[in-house]
Amino acid sequence: MSELNDLYQSVILDHNKRPRNRRKLPTATRVATGDNPTCGDQCTVYLRMEHANGAPDRIAEITFDGSGCAISQASASLMTTQLKGKTPEEAATTFSEFAEIVKTGKAPEDFTELAAFAGVHAFPARIKCATLAWHAALEALKQPDQSPGESAA
Ligand code: ZN
């Protein structure tokens, strides 16, 4: 079990050290920002949808930009790697899994990077840190597409 804890710990450290997809996305057609004033975390999510039969289908590209505590930034980085390629419905399901892990501390038996944040459940004030970027992403998924650039204004 402690080996598994080390593994999960290293997932968070790695996302902190080398955040994935941390940049603005000039081609983004949807942008949403989340704030967590109690901790001072801020996160903007940029995304571009892939279209199928003229309708938005899957997340083609997703990036984030922000500042704040290590948990919020590592979680944002992980979120982009987990949601890329997913439909809005699949993204919502993945978020539910993640939120469940963060709130209960119960990780699924199979290894999933999402479970790296299970330890957060012991610190209820940090749950908002861990879910900030995810809420912004879900918010962006509800928006209609805008012209690239327009949405970033
Ligand atoms: Zn925080």
Side-chain angles (χ1 to χ4, degrees):
M1 191 62 200
S2 97
E3 258 175 52
L4 194 60
N5 283 339
D6 288 349
L7 183 59
Y8 285 138
Q9 191 69 25
S10 72
V11 169
I12 295 183
L13 291 175
D14 185 50
H15 277 279
N16 270 318
K17 222 190 280 175
R18 300 185 300 119
R20 319 297 198 275
N21 308 304
R22 183 177 189 157
R23 60 193 154 86
K24 291 194 171 116
L25 186 65
T27 55
T29 53
R30 303 180 189 197
V31 178
T33 297
D35 270 303
N36 179 21
T38 49
C39 183
D41 309 321
Q42 194 271 332
C43 181
T44 301
V45 171
Y46 302 85
L47 67 87
R48 183 172 67 77
M49 300 301 287
E50 194 175 280
H51 287 70
N53 304 317
D57 183 34
R58 290 176 182 277
I59 300 170
E61 278 186 283
I62 179 164
T63 69
F64 79 100
D65 193 21
S67 57
C69 68
I71 289 175
S72 70
Q73 301 303 299
S75 174
S77 170
L78 176 73
M79 179 277 293
T80 62
T81 65
Q82 295 286 320
L83 296 193
K84 188 175 175 180
K86 289 201 159 77
T87 64
E89 292 73 27
E90 289 166 352
T93 304
T94 304
F95 173 65
S96 306
E97 279 172 35
F98 180 70
E100 185 69 16
I101 291 168
V102 166
K103 282 174 197 159
T104 65
K106 284 190 197 117
E109 279 181 26
D110 297 334
F111 175 77
T112 158
E113 286 203 328
L114 295 175
F117 290 83
V120 170
H121 88 281
F123 310 93
R126 311 310 294 276
I127 291 173
K128 279 187 181 163
C129 304
T131 55
L132 178 68
W134 294 77
H135 282 299
L138 293 191
E139 188 56 42
L141 284 168
K142 285 185 206 146
Q143 297 172 2
D145 281 319
Q146 291 180 293
S147 304
E150 213 178 282
S151 52

